[in-house]
Amino acid sequence: MVTALGASAFAQAAPAGMDAGQKLGADLSAARAASPRPPACVADGSRAAGRTHWERAQKPRVGAFCDALALGYAQLSRAPDRSLAAAARARALAPDSAASWVLEARALVGAGRPREAFALFSKARALDKQALAEPAALHDLALSAIAAGEHAEAVAAYRALVPRAGMLADARRRQRVYLEGAMAVMRHDAQALDEALGYLGEARRLRGLPGLSDVVLGATALTLDRQGRHDEARGVAAEVRGPLGVARLAESPNTSALVTLADGELAAIAAMLAERGHPDVAKRLWKAFSSSASPGSPWQAHAKKHQEAGGALPRRAGKPR
């Protein structure tokens, strides 16, 4: 994930002899270098220092456009409303550039408005097929697609993102991508269980991240159980120390800051874990999954079987509890 620092941080690093105008120019140059940029904003690396002021003098609209994008990305994680304003300025300067649409869409995701962002991502992609190649942008596209109910688009985004997830600097976000991708492909395609387990295997290698690791274990147990590997599923579920913590998360009104899954998916994960000692809670959660799953979901029968078993799948004869 590209990390963009704010202008104040760059100002602190500026040489003491710079005046205010020179410091601002240095801030913008550093912000541009740290943000995803269209080709017009990428300086020739070997001559960047000598060309910057000349190019800005010759093409002031391009310079202002690039500055707006840079400052918008610098505010993206901390002040997405300011990023929205920067995106509007950039679009006014270059209406046919996909970059401003991507920035606005990502700012909407950051502001908790992912459903609105999906149309803007689609607009950006129509203008430039490579506009969403950056991993963090792909992740935000996937989140907006889930919010908009565009599950096929979410699956496509995660399948493009997972091979690039290692480029995300934040290990917690990488773990989240693998988890969300696994649940998305499994929801979309009942034949994608092996693919989902592959993603979850990557997520489990990033253990120790607070809040997500138990959800990853629960998702792994759920996927194994859906494959009919019930004993393995119970073994993985037993690794979770506090199964009710995931149940509380599933019944929380807002979990998007931790993980974004389609409606009901977290309930199924939590139900799988709650069966270990809390069958009544598990039964309630299986019902919540069934109520929210889309018509024709391949996993309705699986959830119903658990509900009818009283919140726990019957064990094979001869197997001790």
Side-chain angles (χ1 to χ4, degrees):
M1 179 177 65
V2 175
T3 302
L5 300 178
S8 61
F10 295 122
Q12 291 173 4
M18 282 189 178
D19 61 25
Q22 289 174 315
K23 286 183 180 180
L24 177 60
D27 294 345
L28 295 179
S29 295
R32 279 196 300 273
S35 64
R37 296 159 293 160
C41 299
V42 180
D44 179 354
S46 63
R47 295 187 294 159
R51 293 178 57 193
T52 300
H53 295 295
W54 183 88
E55 288 181 343
R56 285 173 58 83
Q58 294 297 313
K59 299 180 180 179
R61 288 179 66 86
V62 172
F65 168 73
C66 296
D67 290 347
L69 288 180
L71 293 180
Y73 274 103
Q75 297 289 342
L76 191 57
S77 62
R78 298 173 307 192
D81 288 344
R82 294 183 183 178
S83 293
L84 287 171
R89 291 196 300 273
R91 185 157 56 251
L93 291 161
D96 295 330
S97 173
S100 60
W101 293 99
V102 174
L103 174 59
E104 182 176 359
R106 294 190 61 191
L108 285 171
V109 173
R113 298 158 58 187
R115 184 185 294 269
E116 298 173 52
F118 184 74
L120 304 187
F121 279 124
S122 298
K123 174 69 173 179
R125 192 162 47 188
L127 290 168
D128 179 0
K129 292 181 180 179
Q130 299 301 315
L132 301 175
E134 201 245 340
L138 268 176
H139 188 210
D140 284 347
L141 167 62
L143 298 180
S144 73
I146 291 173
E150 301 285 350
H151 298 296
E153 291 282 355
V155 169
Y158 280 115
R159 281 176 167 159
L161 172 58
V162 163
R164 309 179 206 177
M167 297 170 65
L168 295 166
D170 183 3
R172 186 185 182 91
R173 190 169 191 179
R174 292 201 302 273
Q175 188 180 45
R176 176 179 175 174
V177 163
Y178 293 131
L179 168 61
E180 292 171 348
M183 298 305 294
V185 300
M186 186 165 40
R187 174 191 175 95
H188 186 69
D189 181 2
Q191 305 304 312
L193 294 173
D194 285 337
E195 180 183 359
L197 283 173
Y199 295 177
L200 291 167
E202 294 297 323
R204 290 181 71 181
R205 290 188 181 94
L206 297 168
R207 299 184 70 170
L209 300 176
L212 273 182
S213 292
D214 284 351
V215 181
V216 170
L217 288 170
T220 304
L222 175 66
T223 309
L224 289 168
D225 198 76
R226 286 174 171 176
Q227 278 193 326
R229 298 159 64 180
H230 308 306
D231 292 337
E232 292 177 68
R234 293 188 192 97
V236 172
E239 295 180 37
V240 177
R241 294 182 180 180
L244 289 185
V246 180
R248 286 191 292 271
L249 181 65
E251 296 178 321
S252 171
N254 182 19
T255 62
S256 60
L258 182 68
V259 65
T260 297
L261 303 176
D263 289 345
E265 296 297 317
L266 191 54
I269 292 171
M272 194 69 217
L273 296 178
E275 287 184 347
R276 183 168 58 91
H278 305 278
D280 291 342
V281 174
K283 189 172 183 178
R284 182 176 76 239
L285 290 164
W286 285 123
K287 184 177 180 180
F289 168 79
S290 297
S291 298
S292 59
S294 59
S297 166
W299 307 119
Q300 284 280 23
H302 175 266
K304 184 178 180 181
K305 188 173 184 179
H306 279 264
Q307 281 182 255
E308 292 175 347
L313 194 66
R315 286 165 167 72
R316 296 177 184 174
K319 291 285 183 181
R321 188 175 179 85

